Structures are given as structure tokens and as C-alpha cells.
């Protein structure tokens, strides 16, 4: 997504945890503890993936996107479909997204990524590019028709 920023990747932590699970240091019950809320969120708002669950290998993982931020008011902390995020990013200044992977079969779950979204991310460079594009198309129109100068003279 274009406005995605301050991305924090948790794949190292996940790999370390899975290593401990696979060598028996941590029991699967401790890591396969998705709450009923998280499982419901996965079922109704989750994004299916082609990735197999690293613990049970029975099911593919589902990604759940949780959103947080003052502007969201009562929606803060809710799970949203991935397709809804770009719309929110255009309307809100800034909000935080937490991406959690869930196995609906064994209840494995782990935070995999967090990032900020929102209009604030449209930085000066992009705004300048946008302004330049508008200026270019405006001057193009001006050259094409040549009539705008006449109109301007007429108004004066
Ligand atoms: Zn699983």
C-alpha cells in the first residue's frame, strides 16, 4: 500500500518461537492459544493465504488486520478486511495496523507485522509530484486550445 510506513516486521521473533516449539522447549498449547474473538475475526475478516500453518500443517494461515488510532473512535481495536484499509487510509490522517496470522485448525497465532497508514503518509515528495502533474496537464491544456488566454483577456 502506498501510504504504508514505519513497518515493524516480527518474522525473526516468530522464527525464534517456532524453533523453540519444534525442539520442544515450548509446548504447542502455549502458542496455539488464539482466543474465540481472534478465530472469529479470522473467519469473518481474515485474508486467506497459501502458507501452511507452521505448527500443525493441516490448514493454511489466515491474516487478520487489527486497526488502532484515536481517529477511529469506537472502531479502534476492530479487525478489518484488507480491502477496507486503502479506503480508511484515504479518509484518516493516521492509524496503526497490526497483522496477526492465525491457524483456524490448531489456533496457532502470532503478530507478524505492524505499520502506520493514513493520509499523513502522502509526504512532500508525493505532493510535489502531484502538483507538478497538475501543472503539466494544465499547461498542456493551455497549449492545446490557446483559448484560455483569450478568455483571460476578455475578463480583464
Ligand atoms: Zn495450525
Amino acid at each position: 500500500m502506498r501510504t504504508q510506513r514505519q513497518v515493524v516486521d516480527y518474522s525473526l521473533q516468530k522464527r525464534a518461537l517456532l524453533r523453540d516449539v519444534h525442539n520442544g522447549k515450548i509446548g504447542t498449547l502455549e502458542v496455539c492459544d488464539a482466543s474465540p474473538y481472534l478465530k472469529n475475526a479470522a473467519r469473518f475478516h481474515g485474508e486467506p493465504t497459501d502458507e501452511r500453518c507452521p505448527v500443525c500443517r493441516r490448514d493454511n494461515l489466515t491474516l487478520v488486520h487489527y486497526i488502532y488510532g484515536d481517529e477511529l473512535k469506537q472502531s479502534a481495536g476492530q479487525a478489518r478486511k484488507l480491502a477496507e484499509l486503502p479506503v480508511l487510509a484515504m479518509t484518516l490522517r493516521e492509524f496503526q495496523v497490526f497483522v496477526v496470522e492465525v491457524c483456524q485448525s490448531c489456533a496457532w497465532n502470532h503478530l507478524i507485522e505492524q505499520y502506520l497508514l493514513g493520509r499523513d503518509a502522502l509526504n512532500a515528495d508525493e505532493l510535489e509530484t502531484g502538483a507538478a502533474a497538475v501543472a503539466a496537464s494544465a499547461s498542456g491544456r493551455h497549449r492545446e486550445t490557446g483559448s484560455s488566454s483569450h478568455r483571460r483577456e476578455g475578463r480583464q
Side-chain angles (χ1 to χ4, degrees):
M1 220 168 297
R2 197 162 66 107
T3 62
Q4 192 171 320
R5 64 203 183 275
Q6 288 184 33
V7 181
V8 184
D9 181 0
Y10 290 98
S11 53
L12 282 179
Q13 288 89 330
K14 181 181 129 180
R15 233 175 299 161
L17 180 63
L18 283 171
R19 202 165 41 231
D20 285 349
V21 170
H22 288 142
N23 65 24
K25 274 194 215 152
I26 297 179
T28 50
L29 281 178
E30 284 176 66
V31 294
C32 298
D33 60 351
S35 70
Y37 300 105
L38 181 52
K39 286 202 228 173
N40 270 335
R43 198 170 316 138
F44 296 113
H45 307 284
E47 200 65 31
T49 72
D50 294 328
E51 201 185 332
R52 280 270 147 185
C53 170
V55 178
C56 72
R57 312 240 168 233
R58 281 197 300 262
D59 210 348
N60 283 351
L61 294 168
T62 305
L63 299 182
V64 181
H65 297 77
Y66 284 104
I67 53 171
Y68 289 89
D70 294 340
E71 289 173 272
L72 293 161
K73 304 208 166 61
Q74 63 268 43
S75 303
Q78 289 183 352
R80 288 299 175 97
K81 285 195 163 68
L82 184 61
E84 294 177 63
L85 297 184
V87 181
L88 285 169
M90 292 310 290
T91 46
L92 297 172
R93 230 170 36 74
E94 186 172 280
F95 61 101
Q96 187 89 45
V97 181
F98 290 87
V99 188
V100 179
E101 67 176 30
V102 188
C103 171
Q104 297 189 66
S105 186
C106 74
W108 153 258
N109 62 104
H110 200 276
L111 177 64
I112 56 164
E113 193 182 40
Q114 76 178 65
Y115 49 82
L116 286 176
L117 282 182
R119 284 189 287 116
D120 267 7
L122 300 172
N123 58 36
D125 277 359
E126 281 174 279
L127 289 178
E128 268 171 40
T129 314
V134 170
S137 71
S139 67
R141 247 196 328 270
H142 187 84
R143 240 180 293 126
E144 264 170 42
T145 62
S147 60
S148 61
S149 60
H150 292 299
R151 255 186 274 127
R152 199 156 52 228
E153 279 160 21
R155 260 205 309 277
Q156 273 164 1

